[in-house]
Structures are given as C-alpha cells and as structure tokens.
Amino acid sequence: EVSSSALPGETIGVIGGTGSGKTTLIDLVARFYDATEGSVHLFGRDVKQYSFAQLRRLIGIVPQQAMLFTGTIRDNMRWAAPHATDEEIWQALETAQAASFVRKMPDGLDSVILQGGKNLSGGQKQRLTIARALVGEPEILILDDSASALDFATDAALRRAIAKFSAERGNRMTTIIVSQRANTVRYADQIVVLDDGKAAGIGTHEQLLESCQIYREIYWSQNERQEAVAQKGGER
C-alpha cells in the first residue's frame, strides 16, 4: 500500500531491499499490469484511461537490465522517436553521460551494436538505454535501478544532467529513480521507502533519517565506513 504523488519537474526516489516492491510499483505506473486495489493516476486521469500507445509516449522506462538491439547506435536511439535528429540524439547522449565514449567509437552514431550489446560494457549499455529514453522527451522518466553499473561520480553527474535536461524543457519531466543505493536517491524531492509492498516512510532524505528506521539502516549500512574515514581525516 503506497499513497504518494509527484508534480511535473520533481524527482521521486524509490528505495527498499530486494523483494520490497520497487519494480512492482513502477510496473503499475507504466501499466504493465493493473492495480487490483486503489488506482494510479497520471495527469489527473487513471492510467487505465490511456491507451498503451499513449502511455509509451508519455513514459520513458529504463529497465534494470539494459536492453539494446542489434544495429547502429542511431537506430537504437530512434526506437521511441523515429524522426529524432542527430542533434537531439547527441543531446540525449550528453545527458546520459554516453557522448564521450560514442565519439571515441570508429563510426560514431553509425557504430554497430552487437547482439545483446556484447561489444559494450555494462555501464555503457546502461547509459545508452537512458539516452534512448531521453530522446523521446518523455513526460515521466523512470530509471529502474538502471545506474547500478555506474560508479558514484558518473551516477551523480547523470542525476545533475537529467535535472538540467528537465529544466531546459520547462520542468515538465517527472523523474522516478528506483535504486538500492541511498546516495542515488538522497537528493530527490521526495523518497518513498518500501518494505514488503508497503510504504515504510515518505519524505526527504533528512526527514527519513529522523523518522524512518528502515531508511536509516539502509543509509548508514552503505555510508558508515565513508563517514568514519571522513571523520578520521578531519581529526588530524
């Protein structure tokens, strides 16, 4: 049971342990299946009132497992936006922190991706799938644990770039970040902490550190060592 709302331009973080219901929540928003109780509303309308084609135009989803098809990078980028220009593709690649490695490839946008993306690293595949979702300029961008292969610096740069991407388009895009990393969601406008399919807490990072034991445990288990090292360094 989760009761939450998001405004255009906001970033919503969703965090919880394995099996807590993170991906299920996203699947309900995208209407991969329908809620048996309660409802999910987008722009004031129940998602069931939208056709699947409408939802695919409104929502850009980057799944946990990066999925690219055999063909050129340009072909992959145009999957949700067949008429996208090269300029629009490069803008999306820049935002997704993918432009630098694509430029280094021998044929740039014409470089061929092998089946399953086996000629790319895990992080490169994730960044390309994020770029592909951005090319379509969705109203809602869902990142379902899709930065897990990125180092923390690239992850942070990605989040800043996505916020800038949204701002440049009038803050229309709502971003939902699903992650098991507390640092990935800590700067979200609102964080939903899931536990066994229910919301154990909803609030900002600071509010949840005060009020939600599950969030505190997740955060400190991931950051205690870094904090200790930082404090030890400051004592010198």
Side-chain angles (χ1 to χ4, degrees):
E1 181 181 335
V2 179
S3 179
S4 181
S5 61
L7 297 173
E10 285 191 336
T11 297
I12 306 300
V14 180
I15 192 169
T18 302
S20 61
K22 300 188 300 295
T23 296
T24 300
L25 179 62
I26 295 313
D27 288 347
L28 290 171
V29 174
R31 206 188 167 195
F32 290 141
Y33 50 84
D34 292 329
T36 54
E37 293 181 27
S39 61
V40 178
H41 284 73
L42 297 180
F43 312 108
R45 293 171 58 191
D46 192 306
V47 290
K48 295 175 185 177
Q49 296 177 4
Y50 291 94
S51 69
F52 289 109
Q54 287 174 313
L55 286 174
R56 298 302 163 259
R57 285 194 296 270
L58 288 171
I59 303 173
I61 301 179
V62 184
Q64 290 175 318
Q65 297 297 321
M67 292 183 290
L68 298 167
F69 57 80
T70 306
T72 66
I73 290 175
R74 183 184 286 104
D75 290 340
N76 271 271
M77 293 301 105
R78 285 179 171 167
W79 182 68
H83 304 294
T85 65
D86 282 6
E87 182 182 1
E88 290 168 336
I89 291 171
W90 280 114
Q91 286 176 342
L93 289 169
E94 290 281 3
T95 299
Q97 312 300 297
S100 59
F101 78 79
V102 173
R103 286 197 182 96
K104 291 176 183 176
M105 297 177 79
D107 299 311
L109 295 181
D110 291 314
S111 299
V112 174
I113 296 172
L114 300 180
Q115 185 176 9
K118 61 186 178 183
N119 57 330
L120 299 169
S121 71
Q124 288 173 335
K125 286 190 284 188
Q126 285 191 334
R127 282 176 278 172
L128 286 177
T129 52
I130 292 168
R132 183 174 61 191
L134 290 169
V135 170
E137 296 194 7
E139 300 288 324
I140 299 172
L141 175 68
I142 298 175
L143 304 177
D144 186 3
D145 208 16
S146 51
S148 58
L150 306 184
D151 60 57
F152 286 108
T154 304
D155 185 10
L158 171 66
R159 285 182 276 111
R160 289 193 298 270
I162 288 173
K164 182 182 177 185
F165 182 90
S166 177
E168 289 172 348
R169 285 149 186 79
N171 280 323
R172 293 195 323 266
M173 188 173 75
T174 301
T175 304
I176 301 175
I177 301 176
V178 180
S179 182
Q180 295 189 49
R181 289 179 179 176
N183 283 335
T184 296
V185 301
R186 71 176 290 178
Y187 298 107
D189 297 293
Q190 184 180 173
I191 302 168
V192 178
V193 184
L194 291 179
D195 180 48
D196 195 23
K198 298 179 181 178
I202 298 175
T204 64
H205 169 74
E206 290 77 14
Q207 290 169 341
L208 291 170
L209 282 180
E210 289 279 332
S211 64
C212 182
Q213 181 180 352
I214 291 174
Y215 185 77
R216 273 198 303 272
E217 290 173 354
I218 293 172
Y219 178 76
W220 287 114
S221 69
Q222 296 173 1
N223 289 275
E224 195 165 20
R225 184 178 175 189
Q226 295 176 20
E227 293 283 341
V229 170
Q231 288 178 5
K232 190 172 181 180
E235 290 170 0
R236 291 175 183 171

